[in-house]
Amino acid sequence: MDLQLPCPLDAGWELIRTLSLPREAADGRPLGGFSAAAYQAQQDRLWLLSDAPRGHLVPWGGLAKLLRGTQAKLTPGPRLLLRDAAGQPLPEGFDGEGLVLDGNQAWIASEGRRTPERPARLIRIDLATGRQQQEIPLPDSWQAKPGRGLAVNKGPESLTALGPSELLLAAERPLLQSDDPAAVPIARIDHQGAVGLAGSLDLSSVGEQDGLTELLALPATRQLLALTRGYQPPISWSARLLLLTYPDRSAPALTPVLGWDLLAAGLPADNWEALAIGPQLSDGRTTLVLGSDDNFNPLQSSWIAVMAPRRTAACPP
């Protein structure tokens, strides 16, 4: 589904709805830690990836119905526990951060801790069973080596589909060996496992403590939306949405075309990590769905926000 951008771009985004998800499921177990999202329009199903110690997916039904006023709340389905190739639950601390649906399968990226027990990973799972079907090695320059690779808990954080057979994967912060403190590395990966570096994203336009937390490809216009998030103790959050062109390894680092302050647009101040294309509104606008990760902290919430581009009468339909 194609997503329209604001027109003109500086018109920004309209906040359509915010929802605070329950902290517990019907079985009494905690819900939260939602770090990535994907929406299936035909089924009206929003998948949320949790980075709980035992990583899992939760499908939520009825987002389009809720926006139309024919349903009062999102309805959670049963958890889908992530499992290894043998069918056993993945080790604790998998820390899933990126999600792309691919038919009856899903690609999931997880952050690492630079240890053999908790490496950064990209896996493909079966959506019916949660069982791992494939693992794709990350670029060599991202691997944990002395003074090199992804920093602890800094990626890969973002995952999006450029097309039917290609993924885009990005870290949260620069590599340890990077000379540029604002250059976030990006990689392109096809579904057969071929991995290639795809340049970097220049985050010098956002705060020094801000990191990239999600990418969303817009193939029709060969553009990307990037969600960045920052935190300053004790409870100061930032969230921005950046517009980018598609990456090119031979080009300089990607520089945002424009950025929008999402907290100024009305989002609650929290840990915004998830970004997906959502349902279409009755006026024809396609929405953005954003989700926050509560870190299982009672002072935070698992928010779902639905936004739509503001468009003036002079803009094409």
Side-chain angles (χ1 to χ4, degrees):
M1 185 182 298
D2 290 339
L3 174 73
Q4 292 178 322
L5 292 172
C7 179
L9 288 175
D10 59 10
W13 299 84
E14 177 186 358
L15 181 60
I16 304 298
R17 188 74 180 266
T18 55
L19 305 163
S20 180
L21 298 179
R23 295 187 179 275
E24 290 186 350
D27 60 8
R29 291 189 295 166
L31 283 174
F34 297 126
S35 52
Y39 178 70
Q40 293 173 313
Q42 186 172 357
Q43 297 90 343
D44 192 18
R45 182 185 298 138
L46 177 68
W47 288 91
L48 296 180
L49 172 66
S50 175
D51 62 6
R54 288 294 188 191
H56 59 270
L57 289 161
V58 180
W60 299 76
L63 182 57
K65 292 177 181 178
L66 187 148
L67 295 176
R68 291 196 297 264
T70 60
Q71 184 168 307
K73 60 182 180 180
L74 291 179
T75 305
R79 302 168 195 254
L80 178 66
L81 189 64
L82 303 182
R83 302 178 182 275
D84 63 20
Q88 298 301 309
L90 290 176
E92 289 198 15
F94 176 73
D95 200 2
E97 296 288 346
L99 172 67
V100 167
L101 300 185
D102 182 18
N104 60 0
Q105 299 182 328
W107 292 93
I108 296 178
S110 73
E111 284 193 311
R113 298 300 187 272
R114 294 181 61 83
T115 67
E117 297 79 18
R118 298 186 66 179
R121 302 170 66 187
L122 175 62
I123 65 172
R124 179 171 55 87
I125 67 156
D126 185 314
L127 272 179
T129 64
R131 182 176 292 196
Q132 179 179 319
Q133 304 293 306
Q134 183 181 7
E135 179 172 356
I136 293 181
L138 301 182
D140 183 68
S141 59
W142 294 27
Q143 302 289 341
K145 301 174 184 176
R148 298 178 62 82
L150 296 163
V152 173
N153 200 32
K154 296 303 179 184
E157 181 83 19
S158 307
L159 186 66
T160 189
L162 292 182
S165 60
E166 190 173 26
L167 301 168
L168 199 67
L169 184 68
E172 179 181 350
R173 298 287 300 171
L175 298 172
L176 294 177
Q177 68 266 30
S178 175
D179 294 328
D180 186 342
V184 173
I186 303 172
R188 294 175 89 136
I189 300 168
D190 69 30
H191 290 190
Q192 279 66 52
V195 179
L197 297 178
S200 61
L201 166 60
D202 181 357
L203 284 187
S204 60
S205 63
V206 299
E208 290 185 3
Q209 302 303 316
D210 292 20
L212 176 66
T213 188
E214 193 58 285
L215 289 173
L216 182 63
L218 309 177
T221 57
R222 295 183 61 80
Q223 292 175 303
L224 296 168
L225 291 175
L227 177 63
T228 67
R229 169 274 323 268
Y231 175 71
Q232 292 277 5
I235 51 171
S236 178
W237 294 96
S238 61
R240 293 185 63 82
L241 191 63
L242 309 178
L243 178 64
L244 314 164
T245 59
Y246 264 23
D248 182 347
R249 183 179 180 183
S250 63
L254 291 178
T255 302
V257 175
L258 191 73
W260 299 276
D261 185 335
L262 296 179
L263 301 190
L267 263 63
D270 218 313
N271 182 27
W272 293 96
E273 291 198 17
L275 184 65
I277 295 177
Q280 193 172 54
L281 299 177
S282 57
D283 61 12
R285 290 181 296 171
T286 301
T287 58
L288 276 180
V289 178
L290 298 100
S292 71
D293 178 352
D294 68 350
N295 296 309
F296 298 99
N297 184 335
L299 300 179
Q300 296 176 240
S301 296
S302 294
W303 293 101
I304 293 295
V306 180
M307 307 189 81
R310 298 183 185 275
R311 298 181 66 84
T312 67
C315 298

